[in-house]
Amino acid sequence: MQEQHLQDILRRLPAGVATLEGPELRYSFVNEAFARLLNAGELLGRTVAEVPGPWPADLLGVMQQVYRTGLGHVAKACPLCDDPTARDEGVYYDVTLEPICAADGTVSGLLLFVVDVTVQEQARQRTHELAIETRRLDARLRVLSETAPQITFTIDAAGRCEYVSPQWYFFTGQPRTSDLNAIWPLLIHPDDRLRVLYQSEAARNSGTGWSYEYRLRRHDGQYRWMLSRALPELHTAATPPLHWHGALTEIHDQRELAEALRRGEAELRFLADSIPELIWTASAEGFVEYYNQYTGDYSGLTTAELGPTGWINLLHPDEQAGAARQWVHSVATGEEYEGVFRMRRHDGRYRWHIIRARQLTDGQGPRWFGACTDVDDQHRLRQVLQTQYDELAQANRDLDTFVYTASHDLKQPVLNLRGLFDELRRTATFHDPEKTQMLVMVDEALTQLDLTLQELAATVRDQRGLSAPVEELDVRHVAEEVLLGLRVQVQQSGAEIELDTDEAPLLTYGRANLRSVLHNLISNALKFAHPDRTPHVQIRSFRTADGHPGLQVQDNGLGMVLPDEPAAVFQPFTRQHPHIGGSGVGLYLVQRIVSSRGGRLEVESTVGEGTTFTIYWEEGTAADHV
Amino acid sequence: MKHIVYLSRAVRPLSDQDLQELLAQCRRDNARNGITGILFYSHGNIAQLFEGEDVVAETLFDKIAQDGRHSHVQKLIDRPISHRSFADWHMAFHPIEPAGFEALQGFLLPQHVPAPPETLSIADATLVELVRLAVFGPAAAAPDTATPA
Ligand SMILES: Cc1cc2nc3c(=O)[nH]c(=O)nc-3n(C[C@H](O)[C@H](O)[C@H](O)COP(=O)(O)O)c2cc1C
């Protein structure tokens, strides 16, 4: 029963068990696992040599040797390669060979014990491969960490340095034997030391990484800026990290460069802030990001109050829309921006500025750089000069008129003189031949005088273009030109000017003549304004009932007393209002021009109410004169 | 009341579907919260002007600024206003498939965006013009003068 039981157990053992008998090694017992292993049908009674089995070739020799010597043998991790399934899967067995001894101690057979050690063997092989891989990674890591320009390090939770790459010694010039943990803090710049120790400890305590900069003493004693970055080695979220790995990078030059840039920028800002001019920069999209100090001083507004487009608010309301449109256009096209605008100062006064902006590309990409230059003084100076110029031009014109008039008015007396003289020469006789000679001389002098007068008149006429040929004129156009020349007077008097040329927009006339007429009549109307009311000047180009063109200039000024003899108004140097400046030749000239071109000038006036001048361009007697 | 204008960049390009969802959500929430204004989107560029009661507008800006769909949120102005300039809330962008969009409430094609309202100061209107330019670029930025009725 016992024996039977034992056999049963042996048969079912998951390991292969077999016994071999005799020197020819014949199978005498085979359990199920063994039979499966060999997979060669009935084994009992057959020799090992007959059944090739999956053994490595040399195992047969080993069996015979065990039989001969009586010394057991274990073949470890044999690949039983003839097993078709085992071959594929790389199955391994430990094969134990034990001699079976007879009672007399001689060897009578062998016990084969075959255990599947595939799992163990695979684990062993994996361990081996892992060890190789680890060595490889380790070597790679070492090469990398020792050839990278950075210093790499590993620090434990207590802040002790477990590893530092050789670059550290190279950088600091410390001997390999030095006590890292003692010396490292001493090499940190005194100004940075406490901060660094604190930051490192804080990071280690909270289990996080760090990134900070500090100065470390180099082998030559120079302190260099370093960037220290490290991360904790985390295995699970639950356990606090035990190690930090990191790198120390020298960033001295970058820092210096950044510092220089910062300094440069700060210097530029300082410069911009110290210039008494409005300066600003805007992003490529056209949003102002910086206004200099002076912009704030001038406008009384902060950068925040001004905002990205706030400069537009500073402009005169009439100019905002145009300036804004122009700016959007510049931003869209990249074209330079330039314009002259009135900008409001903190006290509410507007001053003229030239605003210029250009898109330039610096290290940070394209940006707009703008400046607003105060040109108010120049602008005002120009206006004063313009006024003076206008006054001089007026005086000049008056003088010309005077000469013209004088020469004209002297013509008649000379003519009379000539008549009297001719009469005298005809009737009088002189006995003294020398006296006759005198007659000739007087004759010549008279001729000379006449000629001089004619030339004088002609010169003035030519200079002023009064004799220029006629052309078709746009009355409104000419009147606007004249008003432009008089704009200072118009502004100063606050006059309202009404210009209506619809009825007779065109006039065939000498350009200079029309201008002269308009200039004299309008400036007269402005000059003799009533102090108690806004001057109102109406200029109207009209047609008479029979279709002839005319011009009317009506004011609400002082008015004047018209003499019984109407012509007197138009005598030169007749001044109705002695307290008001002027040479008094203006109206005279108007009349001369109009009549010389075959027209007529009429005037109506009420003292204290106003004056109306009416010109009929073509009427009158001397139509052929034109 | 105040209005706020900001520029930002989408974290990744927004699809028609993304835009449509944003449009629907904003139309609904803005109507409820009394927020009016306009949003521009093109190729990842975003700009928005919105107006509303101070607290509402500020809360909305904080929420938008933290929205993960975009980053680089740059506030350009944040200023009190005395009256609204927009009657409604609109969104203008170029859908890849425009067909379904034309009919959507609150949607505008960029070329149909009207010129900034007259009630805005010229400086603020210029700001709106510039953000429109920044989002859509010079070619598409010119306001549509010949908008069909
Ligand atoms: C570019 C952009 C613009 C947005 N504009 C609005 C807006 O105008 N109104 C609004 O309610 N939400 C807007 N949102 C969405 C909000 O950020 C937020 O997702 C939404 O209000 C829902 O928030 P809640 O779930 O916390 O209520 C915008 C989001 C993005 C990315």
Side-chain angles (χ1 to χ4, degrees), chain A residues 295-332:
Chain A
T295 307
D297 296 347
Y298 180 87
S299 64
L301 297 172
T302 63
T303 297
E305 283 167 333
L306 281 165
T309 51
W311 59 276
I312 294 170
N313 282 328
L314 297 179
L315 303 187
H316 192 280
D318 295 348
E319 287 156 3
Q320 289 185 7
R325 214 174 311 115
Q326 199 185 331
W327 176 237
V328 173
H329 175 78
S330 279
V331 171

mmCIF file of all heavy atoms in Angstrom, chain A residues 295-332:
data_model
loop_
_atom_site.group_PDB
_atom_site.id
_atom_site.type_symbol
_atom_site.label_atom_id
_atom_site.label_comp_id
_atom_site.label_asym_id
_atom_site.label_seq_id
_atom_site.Cartn_x
_atom_site.Cartn_y
_atom_site.Cartn_z
ATOM 1 N N THR A 295 4.908 113.956 -21.896
ATOM 2 C CA THR A 295 3.526 113.832 -22.372
ATOM 3 C C THR A 295 2.564 113.994 -21.201
ATOM 4 O O THR A 295 1.542 114.672 -21.312
ATOM 5 C CB THR A 295 3.319 112.464 -23.047
ATOM 6 O OG1 THR A 295 4.320 112.293 -24.037
ATOM 7 C CG2 THR A 295 1.959 112.374 -23.688
ATOM 8 N N GLY A 296 2.944 113.351 -20.077
ATOM 9 C CA GLY A 296 2.118 113.497 -18.878
ATOM 10 C C GLY A 296 2.107 114.936 -18.391
ATOM 11 O O GLY A 296 1.041 115.469 -18.047
ATOM 12 N N ASP A 297 3.282 115.563 -18.379
ATOM 13 C CA ASP A 297 3.358 116.950 -17.915
ATOM 14 C C ASP A 297 2.519 117.861 -18.804
ATOM 15 O O ASP A 297 1.803 118.736 -18.330
ATOM 16 C CB ASP A 297 4.815 117.445 -17.940
ATOM 17 C CG ASP A 297 5.679 116.664 -16.969
ATOM 18 O OD1 ASP A 297 5.099 115.938 -16.133
ATOM 19 O OD2 ASP A 297 6.908 116.769 -17.050
ATOM 20 N N TYR A 298 2.637 117.634 -20.096
ATOM 21 C CA TYR A 298 1.960 118.523 -21.037
ATOM 22 C C TYR A 298 0.446 118.356 -20.961
ATOM 23 O O TYR A 298 -0.304 119.320 -20.879
ATOM 24 C CB TYR A 298 2.443 118.236 -22.463
ATOM 25 C CG TYR A 298 1.788 119.131 -23.499
ATOM 26 C CD1 TYR A 298 2.329 120.377 -23.803
ATOM 27 C CD2 TYR A 298 0.626 118.744 -24.163
ATOM 28 C CE1 TYR A 298 1.733 121.213 -24.726
ATOM 29 C CE2 TYR A 298 0.013 119.578 -25.088
ATOM 30 C CZ TYR A 298 0.576 120.817 -25.365
ATOM 31 O OH TYR A 298 -0.024 121.644 -26.274
ATOM 32 N N SER A 299 0.011 117.076 -20.974
ATOM 33 C CA SER A 299 -1.431 116.824 -21.072
ATOM 34 C C SER A 299 -2.097 116.847 -19.708
ATOM 35 O O SER A 299 -3.305 117.018 -19.617
ATOM 36 C CB SER A 299 -1.667 115.468 -21.732
ATOM 37 O OG SER A 299 -1.152 114.444 -20.902
ATOM 38 N N GLY A 300 -1.305 116.637 -18.650
ATOM 39 C CA GLY A 300 -1.898 116.526 -17.324
ATOM 40 C C GLY A 300 -2.593 115.188 -17.131
ATOM 41 O O GLY A 300 -3.383 115.016 -16.215
ATOM 42 N N LEU A 301 -2.301 114.222 -18.004
ATOM 43 C CA LEU A 301 -2.950 112.908 -17.904
ATOM 44 C C LEU A 301 -1.895 111.828 -17.712
ATOM 45 O O LEU A 301 -0.772 111.938 -18.204
ATOM 46 C CB LEU A 301 -3.735 112.612 -19.191
ATOM 47 C CG LEU A 301 -4.885 113.551 -19.505
ATOM 48 C CD1 LEU A 301 -5.446 113.255 -20.884
ATOM 49 C CD2 LEU A 301 -5.977 113.400 -18.458
ATOM 50 N N THR A 302 -2.274 110.747 -17.008
ATOM 51 C CA THR A 302 -1.351 109.626 -16.835
ATOM 52 C C THR A 302 -1.427 108.721 -18.064
ATOM 53 O O THR A 302 -2.359 108.814 -18.869
ATOM 54 C CB THR A 302 -1.743 108.778 -15.613
ATOM 55 O OG1 THR A 302 -3.042 108.234 -15.868
ATOM 56 C CG2 THR A 302 -1.780 109.618 -14.359
ATOM 57 N N THR A 303 -0.437 107.831 -18.155
ATOM 58 C CA THR A 303 -0.436 106.874 -19.262
ATOM 59 C C THR A 303 -1.734 106.073 -19.270
ATOM 60 O O THR A 303 -2.310 105.832 -20.323
ATOM 61 C CB THR A 303 0.772 105.925 -19.133
ATOM 62 O OG1 THR A 303 1.958 106.713 -19.251
ATOM 63 C CG2 THR A 303 0.770 104.870 -20.208
ATOM 64 N N ALA A 304 -2.192 105.688 -18.064
ATOM 65 C CA ALA A 304 -3.433 104.903 -17.996
ATOM 66 C C ALA A 304 -4.620 105.733 -18.475
ATOM 67 O O ALA A 304 -5.492 105.232 -19.184
ATOM 68 C CB ALA A 304 -3.669 104.418 -16.574
ATOM 69 N N GLU A 305 -4.635 107.010 -18.093
ATOM 70 C CA GLU A 305 -5.745 107.853 -18.522
ATOM 71 C C GLU A 305 -5.715 108.074 -20.028
ATOM 72 O O GLU A 305 -6.745 108.137 -20.685
ATOM 73 C CB GLU A 305 -5.686 109.210 -17.807
ATOM 74 C CG GLU A 305 -6.179 109.131 -16.381
ATOM 75 C CD GLU A 305 -5.833 110.385 -15.586
ATOM 76 O OE1 GLU A 305 -4.842 111.060 -15.902
ATOM 77 O OE2 GLU A 305 -6.555 110.677 -14.644
ATOM 78 N N LEU A 306 -4.509 108.186 -20.556
ATOM 79 C CA LEU A 306 -4.398 108.389 -21.998
ATOM 80 C C LEU A 306 -4.833 107.135 -22.742
ATOM 81 O O LEU A 306 -5.605 107.201 -23.678
ATOM 82 C CB LEU A 306 -2.961 108.736 -22.368
ATOM 83 C CG LEU A 306 -2.562 110.180 -22.109
ATOM 84 C CD1 LEU A 306 -1.054 110.340 -22.166
ATOM 85 C CD2 LEU A 306 -3.212 111.094 -23.129
ATOM 86 N N GLY A 307 -4.327 105.967 -22.306
ATOM 87 C CA GLY A 307 -4.715 104.716 -22.948
ATOM 88 C C GLY A 307 -4.049 104.551 -24.300
ATOM 89 O O GLY A 307 -3.353 105.444 -24.781
ATOM 90 N N PRO A 308 -4.309 103.378 -24.935
ATOM 91 C CA PRO A 308 -3.571 103.024 -26.145
ATOM 92 C C PRO A 308 -3.838 103.956 -27.336
ATOM 93 O O PRO A 308 -3.036 103.993 -28.254
ATOM 94 C CB PRO A 308 -4.060 101.614 -26.473
ATOM 95 C CG PRO A 308 -4.821 101.159 -25.281
ATOM 96 C CD PRO A 308 -5.247 102.343 -24.511
ATOM 97 N N THR A 309 -4.961 104.650 -27.344
ATOM 98 C CA THR A 309 -5.208 105.564 -28.458
ATOM 99 C C THR A 309 -5.548 106.949 -27.930
ATOM 100 O O THR A 309 -6.090 107.785 -28.655
ATOM 101 C CB THR A 309 -6.380 105.070 -29.343
ATOM 102 O OG1 THR A 309 -7.492 104.793 -28.493
ATOM 103 C CG2 THR A 309 -6.019 103.830 -30.119
ATOM 104 N N GLY A 310 -5.215 107.189 -26.659
ATOM 105 C CA GLY A 310 -5.674 108.408 -25.984
ATOM 106 C C GLY A 310 -5.109 109.698 -26.536
ATOM 107 O O GLY A 310 -5.696 110.754 -26.316
ATOM 108 N N TRP A 311 -3.978 109.616 -27.255
ATOM 109 C CA TRP A 311 -3.419 110.852 -27.800
ATOM 110 C C TRP A 311 -4.421 111.545 -28.709
ATOM 111 O O TRP A 311 -4.401 112.766 -28.833
ATOM 112 C CB TRP A 311 -2.106 110.563 -28.528
ATOM 113 C CG TRP A 311 -2.246 109.580 -29.660
ATOM 114 C CD1 TRP A 311 -2.233 108.218 -29.578
ATOM 115 C CD2 TRP A 311 -2.447 109.890 -31.041
ATOM 116 N NE1 TRP A 311 -2.412 107.659 -30.804
ATOM 117 C CE2 TRP A 311 -2.546 108.660 -31.733
ATOM 118 C CE3 TRP A 311 -2.556 111.077 -31.773
ATOM 119 C CZ2 TRP A 311 -2.740 108.593 -33.093
ATOM 120 C CZ3 TRP A 311 -2.749 110.997 -33.144
ATOM 121 C CH2 TRP A 311 -2.847 109.766 -33.777
ATOM 122 N N ILE A 312 -5.313 110.748 -29.322
ATOM 123 C CA ILE A 312 -6.303 111.345 -30.224
ATOM 124 C C ILE A 312 -7.208 112.308 -29.446
ATOM 125 O O ILE A 312 -7.611 113.353 -29.959
ATOM 126 C CB ILE A 312 -7.124 110.227 -30.905
ATOM 127 C CG1 ILE A 312 -6.202 109.426 -31.819
ATOM 128 C CG2 ILE A 312 -8.298 110.792 -31.691
ATOM 129 C CD1 ILE A 312 -6.811 108.166 -32.365
ATOM 130 N N ASN A 313 -7.486 111.949 -28.187
ATOM 131 C CA ASN A 313 -8.319 112.822 -27.355
ATOM 132 C C ASN A 313 -7.698 114.193 -27.129
ATOM 133 O O ASN A 313 -8.393 115.139 -26.792
ATOM 134 C CB ASN A 313 -8.544 112.169 -25.992
ATOM 135 C CG ASN A 313 -9.593 111.081 -26.067
ATOM 136 O OD1 ASN A 313 -10.532 111.181 -26.866
ATOM 137 N ND2 ASN A 313 -9.443 110.048 -25.268
ATOM 138 N N LEU A 314 -6.369 114.258 -27.255
ATOM 139 C CA LEU A 314 -5.696 115.537 -26.991
ATOM 140 C C LEU A 314 -5.831 116.504 -28.165
ATOM 141 O O LEU A 314 -5.608 117.689 -28.027
ATOM 142 C CB LEU A 314 -4.202 115.305 -26.738
ATOM 143 C CG LEU A 314 -3.830 114.466 -25.511
ATOM 144 C CD1 LEU A 314 -2.326 114.324 -25.428
ATOM 145 C CD2 LEU A 314 -4.356 115.146 -24.251
ATOM 146 N N LEU A 315 -6.162 115.953 -29.333
ATOM 147 C CA LEU A 315 -6.202 116.810 -30.509
ATOM 148 C C LEU A 315 -7.451 117.689 -30.494
ATOM 149 O O LEU A 315 -8.439 117.387 -29.831
ATOM 150 C CB LEU A 315 -6.205 115.968 -31.784
ATOM 151 C CG LEU A 315 -5.031 115.006 -31.940
ATOM 152 C CD1 LEU A 315 -5.078 114.360 -33.315
ATOM 153 C CD2 LEU A 315 -3.702 115.724 -31.757
ATOM 154 N N HIS A 316 -7.377 118.755 -31.242
ATOM 155 C CA HIS A 316 -8.531 119.627 -31.401
ATOM 156 C C HIS A 316 -9.673 118.809 -32.008
ATOM 157 O O HIS A 316 -9.452 118.053 -32.956
ATOM 158 C CB HIS A 316 -8.152 120.782 -32.323
ATOM 159 C CG HIS A 316 -9.162 121.876 -32.326
ATOM 160 N ND1 HIS A 316 -10.316 121.811 -33.058
ATOM 161 C CD2 HIS A 316 -9.201 123.053 -31.666
ATOM 162 C CE1 HIS A 316 -11.025 122.895 -32.862
ATOM 163 N NE2 HIS A 316 -10.361 123.672 -32.012
ATOM 164 N N PRO A 317 -10.886 118.956 -31.478
ATOM 165 C CA PRO A 317 -12.005 118.116 -31.956
ATOM 166 C C PRO A 317 -12.146 118.118 -33.483
ATOM 167 O O PRO A 317 -12.466 117.083 -34.066
ATOM 168 C CB PRO A 317 -13.226 118.756 -31.293
ATOM 169 C CG PRO A 317 -12.690 119.400 -30.067
ATOM 170 C CD PRO A 317 -11.280 119.820 -30.372
ATOM 171 N N ASP A 318 -11.857 119.239 -34.113
ATOM 172 C CA ASP A 318 -12.006 119.300 -35.573
ATOM 173 C C ASP A 318 -10.986 118.414 -36.280
ATOM 174 O O ASP A 318 -11.159 118.076 -37.447
ATOM 175 C CB ASP A 318 -11.801 120.734 -36.075
ATOM 176 C CG ASP A 318 -12.878 121.653 -35.561
ATOM 177 O OD1 ASP A 318 -13.880 121.127 -35.024
ATOM 178 O OD2 ASP A 318 -12.710 122.881 -35.677
ATOM 179 N N GLU A 319 -9.898 118.087 -35.593
ATOM 180 C CA GLU A 319 -8.804 117.386 -36.265
ATOM 181 C C GLU A 319 -8.737 115.906 -35.908
ATOM 182 O O GLU A 319 -7.983 115.154 -36.510
ATOM 183 C CB GLU A 319 -7.472 118.060 -35.912
ATOM 184 C CG GLU A 319 -7.329 119.392 -36.627
ATOM 185 C CD GLU A 319 -6.383 120.354 -35.925
ATOM 186 O OE1 GLU A 319 -5.781 119.972 -34.913
ATOM 187 O OE2 GLU A 319 -6.269 121.493 -36.402
ATOM 188 N N GLN A 320 -9.556 115.478 -34.904
ATOM 189 C CA GLN A 320 -9.441 114.094 -34.417
ATOM 190 C C GLN A 320 -9.728 113.049 -35.488
ATOM 191 O O GLN A 320 -8.949 112.124 -35.675
ATOM 192 C CB GLN A 320 -10.386 113.878 -33.231
ATOM 193 C CG GLN A 320 -9.922 114.593 -31.986
ATOM 194 C CD GLN A 320 -10.786 114.271 -30.786
ATOM 195 O OE1 GLN A 320 -11.665 113.416 -30.851
ATOM 196 N NE2 GLN A 320 -10.528 114.948 -29.679
ATOM 197 N N ALA A 321 -10.845 113.226 -36.188
ATOM 198 C CA ALA A 321 -11.266 112.182 -37.128
ATOM 199 C C ALA A 321 -10.220 111.982 -38.213
ATOM 200 O O ALA A 321 -9.840 110.850 -38.530
ATOM 201 C CB ALA A 321 -12.617 112.530 -37.738
ATOM 202 N N GLY A 322 -9.717 113.081 -38.760
ATOM 203 C CA GLY A 322 -8.718 112.981 -39.823
ATOM 204 C C GLY A 322 -7.444 112.350 -39.321
ATOM 205 O O GLY A 322 -6.857 111.479 -39.985
ATOM 206 N N ALA A 323 -7.008 112.759 -38.133
ATOM 207 C CA ALA A 323 -5.770 112.224 -37.564
ATOM 208 C C ALA A 323 -5.905 110.729 -37.310
ATOM 209 O O ALA A 323 -4.993 109.955 -37.579
ATOM 210 C CB ALA A 323 -5.441 112.948 -36.265
ATOM 211 N N ALA A 324 -7.086 110.313 -36.805
ATOM 212 C CA ALA A 324 -7.313 108.900 -36.490
ATOM 213 C C ALA A 324 -7.306 108.070 -37.775
ATOM 214 O O ALA A 324 -6.687 107.012 -37.846
ATOM 215 C CB ALA A 324 -8.644 108.730 -35.767
ATOM 216 N N ARG A 325 -7.989 108.581 -38.794
ATOM 217 C CA ARG A 325 -8.056 107.849 -40.057
ATOM 218 C C ARG A 325 -6.641 107.646 -40.615
ATOM 219 O O ARG A 325 -6.265 106.567 -41.052
ATOM 220 C CB ARG A 325 -8.919 108.622 -41.050
ATOM 221 C CG ARG A 325 -9.698 107.737 -41.970
ATOM 222 C CD ARG A 325 -10.661 108.518 -42.858
ATOM 223 N NE ARG A 325 -11.499 109.468 -42.173
ATOM 224 C CZ ARG A 325 -11.434 110.794 -42.351
ATOM 225 N NH1 ARG A 325 -10.570 111.313 -43.202
ATOM 226 N NH2 ARG A 325 -12.234 111.598 -41.700
ATOM 227 N N GLN A 326 -5.860 108.709 -40.529
ATOM 228 C CA GLN A 326 -4.501 108.666 -41.048
ATOM 229 C C GLN A 326 -3.651 107.650 -40.267
ATOM 230 O O GLN A 326 -2.839 106.934 -40.835
ATOM 231 C CB GLN A 326 -3.904 110.063 -40.900
ATOM 232 C CG GLN A 326 -2.705 110.329 -41.777
ATOM 233 C CD GLN A 326 -2.120 111.695 -41.454
ATOM 234 O OE1 GLN A 326 -2.843 112.596 -41.028
ATOM 235 N NE2 GLN A 326 -0.836 111.846 -41.644
ATOM 236 N N TRP A 327 -3.885 107.568 -38.957
ATOM 237 C CA TRP A 327 -3.121 106.645 -38.122
ATOM 238 C C TRP A 327 -3.471 105.203 -38.464
ATOM 239 O O TRP A 327 -2.601 104.352 -38.631
ATOM 240 C CB TRP A 327 -3.376 106.951 -36.639
ATOM 241 C CG TRP A 327 -2.718 106.018 -35.680
ATOM 242 C CD1 TRP A 327 -3.321 105.282 -34.722
ATOM 243 C CD2 TRP A 327 -1.311 105.724 -35.572
ATOM 244 N NE1 TRP A 327 -2.387 104.551 -34.027
ATOM 245 C CE2 TRP A 327 -1.145 104.806 -34.532
ATOM 246 C CE3 TRP A 327 -0.178 106.149 -36.276
ATOM 247 C CZ2 TRP A 327 0.090 104.290 -34.157
ATOM 248 C CZ3 TRP A 327 1.061 105.637 -35.903
ATOM 249 C CH2 TRP A 327 1.183 104.732 -34.857
ATOM 250 N N VAL A 328 -4.776 104.906 -38.599
ATOM 251 C CA VAL A 328 -5.176 103.543 -38.958
ATOM 252 C C VAL A 328 -4.556 103.176 -40.306
ATOM 253 O O VAL A 328 -4.060 102.056 -40.495
ATOM 254 C CB VAL A 328 -6.712 103.414 -38.998
ATOM 255 C CG1 VAL A 328 -7.127 102.053 -39.532
ATOM 256 C CG2 VAL A 328 -7.306 103.637 -37.616
ATOM 257 N N HIS A 329 -4.530 104.134 -41.207
ATOM 258 C CA HIS A 329 -3.932 103.875 -42.521
ATOM 259 C C HIS A 329 -2.441 103.555 -42.379
ATOM 260 O O HIS A 329 -1.937 102.609 -42.985
ATOM 261 C CB HIS A 329 -4.130 105.099 -43.420
ATOM 262 C CG HIS A 329 -3.443 104.979 -44.746
ATOM 263 N ND1 HIS A 329 -3.948 104.239 -45.789
ATOM 264 C CD2 HIS A 329 -2.262 105.478 -45.179
ATOM 265 C CE1 HIS A 329 -3.122 104.290 -46.809
ATOM 266 N NE2 HIS A 329 -2.084 105.041 -46.470
ATOM 267 N N SER A 330 -1.744 104.335 -41.559
ATOM 268 C CA SER A 330 -0.313 104.095 -41.369
ATOM 269 C C SER A 330 -0.066 102.712 -40.771
ATOM 270 O O SER A 330 0.827 101.996 -41.204
ATOM 271 C CB SER A 330 0.301 105.158 -40.454
ATOM 272 O OG SER A 330 0.573 106.322 -41.186
ATOM 273 N N VAL A 331 -0.880 102.345 -39.780
ATOM 274 C CA VAL A 331 -0.690 101.049 -39.124
ATOM 275 C C VAL A 331 -0.946 99.927 -40.134
ATOM 276 O O VAL A 331 -0.218 98.932 -40.177
ATOM 277 C CB VAL A 331 -1.626 100.911 -37.908
ATOM 278 C CG1 VAL A 331 -1.595 99.489 -37.367
ATOM 279 C CG2 VAL A 331 -1.216 101.883 -36.818
ATOM 280 N N ALA A 332 -1.949 100.111 -40.986
ATOM 281 C CA ALA A 332 -2.290 99.067 -41.955
ATOM 282 C C ALA A 332 -1.198 98.922 -43.009
ATOM 283 O O ALA A 332 -0.912 97.824 -43.464
ATOM 284 C CB ALA A 332 -3.626 99.377 -42.620
#
